[in-house]
Amino acid sequence: MVKHSKGYRTRTRKLLKKNIKEKGSIPPLSKIMRKYSEGEYVSIKINPSFHYGMPHRRYHGKVGKVIGKRGRAYEIKVNLGDKEKLIIVRPEHLEKFKGTS
């Protein structure tokens, strides 16, 4: 028997799959070049085309607060259960949060 691998992207076949209309496309430059200010709320939507700065799949769909910037990436504070986590995410995987905060 072969041991089950437990890599960074295990069990993401459906989660990190693009829509058929989005397949092969890259996000517009306006999304990649967008600046987020400290204290702004963002939602994490993983783009499977970009491997750099990709957060773990458990953060997909979560809302966090921008704490600072680290190189091209942003430091995001996310509540996960009863804990507060600090993750480093590139802007390709972020969207401005449209809900009420």
Side-chain angles (χ1 to χ4, degrees), residues 8-9 12 15-18 22 31 43-62 89-90 92-95:
Y8 199 68
R9 290 179 64 164
T12 61
L15 183 73
L16 298 181
K17 191 165 86 170
K18 278 190 168 186
E22 298 172 339
K31 183 174 169 100
S43 59
I44 299 167
K45 185 182 176 215
I46 297 174
N47 187 346
S49 302
F50 290 89
H51 298 180
Y52 291 113
M54 182 186 284
H56 192 269
R57 67 185 175 94
R58 75 173 61 99
Y59 299 107
H60 185 71
K62 300 273 189 241
V89 185
R90 277 202 171 176
E92 295 94 57
H93 308 289
L94 297 175
E95 280 183 0

Side-chain angles (χ1 to χ4, degrees), residues 28-96:
L29 274 176
S30 59
K31 183 174 169 100
I32 297 171
M33 303 293 285
R34 172 136 169 48
K35 306 281 186 215
Y36 298 100
S37 57
E38 287 186 26
E40 194 173 348
Y41 284 92
V42 291
S43 59
I44 299 167
K45 185 182 176 215
I46 297 174
N47 187 346
S49 302
F50 290 89
H51 298 180
Y52 291 113
M54 182 186 284
H56 192 269
R57 67 185 175 94
R58 75 173 61 99
Y59 299 107
H60 185 71
K62 300 273 189 241
V63 176
K65 191 175 187 179
V66 177
I67 300 301
K69 195 164 181 192
R70 196 179 288 194
R72 290 186 199 172
Y74 290 93
E75 295 174 345
I76 312 291
K77 191 172 278 192
V78 180
N79 288 330
L80 195 68
D82 58 342
K83 293 181 181 172
E84 234 178 32
K85 301 278 190 167
L86 180 74
I87 60 173
I88 299 161
V89 185
R90 277 202 171 176
E92 295 94 57
H93 308 289
L94 297 175
E95 280 183 0
K96 187 175 179 182

